[in-house]
Amino acid sequence: QLQLQESGPGLVKPSETLSLSCTVSGGSISSSGYYWGWIRQAPGKGLEWIGNIFYSGKTYYTPSLQSRVTISADTSKNQFSLKLSSVTAADAAVYYCARDGFAYDFWGQGTMVTVSS
Amino acid sequence: EIVLTQSPATLSLSPGERATLSCRASQSVSSYLAWYQQKPNQAPRLLIYGASNRATGIPARFSGSGSGTDFTLTISSLEPEDFAVYYCQQRSISWTFGQGTKVEIK
């Protein structure tokens, strides 16, 4: 069974860079045809798509965050990562990683990130 | 960017009743639409993909329909565990989520 697990600091200072990793077990992020994505959810709000990385390495980002977001993959560790620069309080959220084959069918449990000095 | 508009924002129903949730896209997404269920403090769970295909392990009371710009998620007879928030999501042009519909107990 595929499993995804987010990891990273739960507290980030304003203007700094948020960095999270998603470790995948039970399957390879290099498997043909899959996207690996990041989605976030601010407290009490809906789901917001951040971006995806395709198994080939091609990346896709939501326009509103494109200038601040980088998603990358480390196939040797079977991980993919999210970096969000210049964070503000508006970036505080639960961050989920997920796999998209035909939809987001496997999700991590999510990790809460707080932005505060 | 494709905008997905879900209605209603809240649906108040009793167990055993039929729930009908709507999702409208700002432009055609063909059948590249999925539905998710989210309960408090849990990750979303995939219910429907490709507009009408039930994901693995999803009960038959959940069904999806539509194509193009108008989609519906129907829960034929609400069970107590179905009271949750439901999101639609498109992956035709980039990816976006709707704002969600909360199904609450009346």
Side-chain angles (χ1 to χ4, degrees):
Chain A
Q1 177 80 337
L2 191 75
Q3 292 186 327
L4 294 87
Q5 178 67 58
E6 305 89 352
S7 61
L11 179 64
V12 182
K13 291 182 169 60
S15 79
E16 294 192 345
T17 296
L18 178 161
S19 296
L20 297 174
S21 293
C22 181
T23 300
V24 178
S25 57
S28 171
I29 65 169
S30 300
S31 296
S32 177
Y34 290 108
Y35 297 88
W36 303 89
W38 289 96
I39 299 102
R40 71 180 182 180
Q41 187 170 36
K45 302 297 184 183
L47 301 170
E48 179 182 19
W49 178 70
I50 300 171
N52 284 350
I53 185 165
F54 198 37
Y55 78 102
S56 63
K58 184 173 173 58
T59 53
Y60 306 80
Y61 302 128
T62 191
S64 63
L65 298 175
Q66 184 155 5
S67 63
R68 299 195 290 129
V69 172
T70 302
I71 296 176
S72 59
D74 185 338
T75 55
S76 67
K77 295 181 179 178
N78 215 32
Q79 288 180 344
F80 62 104
S81 299
L82 169 72
K83 291 188 185 300
L84 181 65
S85 64
S86 304
V87 299
T88 69
D91 295 310
V94 174
Y95 285 75
Y96 296 101
C97 59
R99 184 189 80 168
D100 180 339
F102 40 80
Y104 286 114
D105 54 350
F106 288 94
W107 294 67
Q109 64 186 24
T111 187
M112 179 68 205
V113 176
T114 300
V115 178
S116 175
S117 54
Chain B
E1 176 178 316
I2 295 178
V3 176
L4 298 178
T5 302
Q6 293 187 239
S7 62
T10 303
L11 200 49
S12 298
L13 294 168
S14 301
E17 289 193 294
R18 182 184 189 88
T20 303
L21 288 68
S22 175
C23 177
R24 177 164 289 178
S26 58
Q27 64 186 84
S28 177
V29 299
S30 186
S31 294
Y32 294 103
L33 190 106
W35 290 93
Y36 301 85
Q37 176 194 67
Q38 187 179 34
K39 296 180 181 178
N41 300 313
Q42 293 185 18
R45 176 175 71 145
L46 176 66
L47 299 175
I48 301 288
Y49 65 92
S52 61
N53 302 287
R54 272 190 303 277
T56 302
I58 301 304
R61 64 180 181 273
F62 291 92
S63 63
S65 63
S67 67
T69 61
D70 290 298
F71 300 86
T72 301
L73 174 70
T74 302
I75 310 171
S76 59
S77 178
L78 282 163
E79 297 288 338
E81 63 267 28
D82 299 336
F83 292 92
V85 179
Y86 293 82
Y87 295 93
C88 58
Q89 175 241 331
Q90 67 83 23
R91 61 193 296 278
S92 173
I93 299 175
S94 190
W95 286 256
T96 49
F97 286 91
Q99 83 279 19
T101 290
K102 181 179 182 180
V103 179
E104 65 176 21
I105 299 176
K106 186 174 181 179

